[in-house]
PDB file of all heavy atoms in Angstrom:
ATOM      1  N   SER A  82      -4.688  -1.156  28.251  1.00  0.00           N
ATOM      2  CA  SER A  82      -3.558  -1.647  29.080  1.00  0.00           C
ATOM      3  C   SER A  82      -2.221  -1.207  28.543  1.00  0.00           C
ATOM      4  O   SER A  82      -1.305  -0.911  29.285  1.00  0.00           O
ATOM      5  CB  SER A  82      -3.619  -3.162  29.191  1.00  0.00           C
ATOM      6  OG  SER A  82      -4.862  -3.582  29.699  1.00  0.00           O
ATOM      7  N   PRO A 181      -8.048 -17.789  20.374  1.00  0.00           N
ATOM      8  CA  PRO A 181      -7.327 -18.908  20.949  1.00  0.00           C
ATOM      9  C   PRO A 181      -8.054 -20.247  20.781  1.00  0.00           C
ATOM     10  O   PRO A 181      -7.511 -21.314  21.050  1.00  0.00           O
ATOM     11  CB  PRO A 181      -7.269 -18.567  22.449  1.00  0.00           C
ATOM     12  CG  PRO A 181      -8.478 -17.715  22.690  1.00  0.00           C
ATOM     13  CD  PRO A 181      -8.692 -16.970  21.384  1.00  0.00           C
ATOM     14  N   LEU A 186      -4.869 -20.904  12.283  1.00  0.00           N
ATOM     15  CA  LEU A 186      -5.591 -19.814  11.596  1.00  0.00           C
ATOM     16  C   LEU A 186      -6.858 -20.354  10.942  1.00  0.00           C
ATOM     17  O   LEU A 186      -6.947 -21.454  10.435  1.00  0.00           O
ATOM     18  CB  LEU A 186      -4.699 -19.203  10.524  1.00  0.00           C
ATOM     19  CG  LEU A 186      -3.386 -18.523  11.029  1.00  0.00           C
ATOM     20  CD1 LEU A 186      -2.572 -18.083   9.804  1.00  0.00           C
ATOM     21  CD2 LEU A 186      -3.700 -17.365  11.930  1.00  0.00           C
ATOM     22  N   PRO A 188      -9.926 -19.517   7.905  1.00  0.00           N
ATOM     23  CA  PRO A 188      -9.876 -18.940   6.563  1.00  0.00           C
ATOM     24  C   PRO A 188     -10.044 -17.414   6.568  1.00  0.00           C
ATOM     25  O   PRO A 188      -9.416 -16.740   5.771  1.00  0.00           O
ATOM     26  CB  PRO A 188     -11.094 -19.602   5.806  1.00  0.00           C
ATOM     27  CG  PRO A 188     -11.240 -20.915   6.533  1.00  0.00           C
ATOM     28  CD  PRO A 188     -10.887 -20.668   7.972  1.00  0.00           C
ATOM     29  N   ALA A 295       6.344 -14.325  32.718  1.00  0.00           N
ATOM     30  CA  ALA A 295       6.130 -15.758  32.847  1.00  0.00           C
ATOM     31  C   ALA A 295       4.653 -16.136  32.526  1.00  0.00           C
ATOM     32  O   ALA A 295       4.374 -17.299  32.267  1.00  0.00           O
ATOM     33  CB  ALA A 295       6.486 -16.226  34.219  1.00  0.00           C
ATOM     34  N   ARG A 308       8.907   1.071  22.853  1.00  0.00           N
ATOM     35  CA  ARG A 308      10.274   1.344  23.278  1.00  0.00           C
ATOM     36  C   ARG A 308      11.355   1.024  22.200  1.00  0.00           C
ATOM     37  O   ARG A 308      12.398   1.681  22.185  1.00  0.00           O
ATOM     38  CB  ARG A 308      10.594   0.622  24.560  1.00  0.00           C
ATOM     39  CG  ARG A 308       9.681   0.957  25.708  1.00  0.00           C
ATOM     40  CD  ARG A 308      10.098   0.251  26.984  1.00  0.00           C
ATOM     41  NE  ARG A 308       9.200   0.556  28.107  1.00  0.00           N
ATOM     42  CZ  ARG A 308       9.295   0.087  29.326  1.00  0.00           C
ATOM     43  NH1 ARG A 308      10.279  -0.750  29.625  1.00  0.00           N
ATOM     44  NH2 ARG A 308       8.447   0.423  30.260  1.00  0.00           N
ATOM     45  N   ASP A 365      -9.730  -1.771 -24.573  1.00  0.00           N
ATOM     46  CA  ASP A 365      -8.638  -0.775 -24.470  1.00  0.00           C
ATOM     47  C   ASP A 365      -7.431  -1.226 -25.253  1.00  0.00           C
ATOM     48  O   ASP A 365      -6.740  -0.391 -25.857  1.00  0.00           O
ATOM     49  CB  ASP A 365      -8.292  -0.549 -22.997  1.00  0.00           C
ATOM     50  CG  ASP A 365      -9.413   0.143 -22.232  1.00  0.00           C
ATOM     51  OD1 ASP A 365     -10.310   0.731 -22.922  1.00  0.00           O
ATOM     52  OD2 ASP A 365      -9.473   0.030 -21.017  1.00  0.00           O
ATOM     53  N   GLU A 391       1.709   8.414 -55.420  1.00  0.00           N
ATOM     54  CA  GLU A 391       1.928   8.252 -56.866  1.00  0.00           C
ATOM     55  C   GLU A 391       1.401   6.891 -57.327  1.00  0.00           C
ATOM     56  O   GLU A 391       0.782   6.773 -58.393  1.00  0.00           O
ATOM     57  CB  GLU A 391       3.426   8.399 -57.159  1.00  0.00           C
ATOM     58  CG  GLU A 391       3.922   9.852 -56.979  1.00  0.00           C
ATOM     59  CD  GLU A 391       5.418   9.928 -57.224  1.00  0.00           C
ATOM     60  OE1 GLU A 391       6.031   8.874 -57.458  1.00  0.00           O
ATOM     61  OE2 GLU A 391       5.957  11.053 -57.202  1.00  0.00           O
ATOM     62  N   GLN A 420     -25.943   0.234 -88.568  1.00  0.00           N
ATOM     63  CA  GLN A 420     -25.704   0.252 -90.007  1.00  0.00           C
ATOM     64  C   GLN A 420     -26.268  -1.030 -90.666  1.00  0.00           C
ATOM     65  O   GLN A 420     -26.897  -0.949 -91.704  1.00  0.00           O
ATOM     66  CB  GLN A 420     -24.214   0.351 -90.352  1.00  0.00           C
ATOM     67  CG  GLN A 420     -23.596   1.712 -90.001  1.00  0.00           C
ATOM     68  CD  GLN A 420     -22.114   1.784 -90.254  1.00  0.00           C
ATOM     69  OE1 GLN A 420     -21.517   0.776 -90.699  1.00  0.00           O
ATOM     70  NE2 GLN A 420     -21.523   2.946 -90.034  1.00  0.00           N
TER      71      GLN A 420
END
Side-chain angles (χ1 to χ4, degrees):
S82 303
L186 297 176
R308 299 183 182 180
D365 293 340
E391 291 177 356
Q420 290 178 359

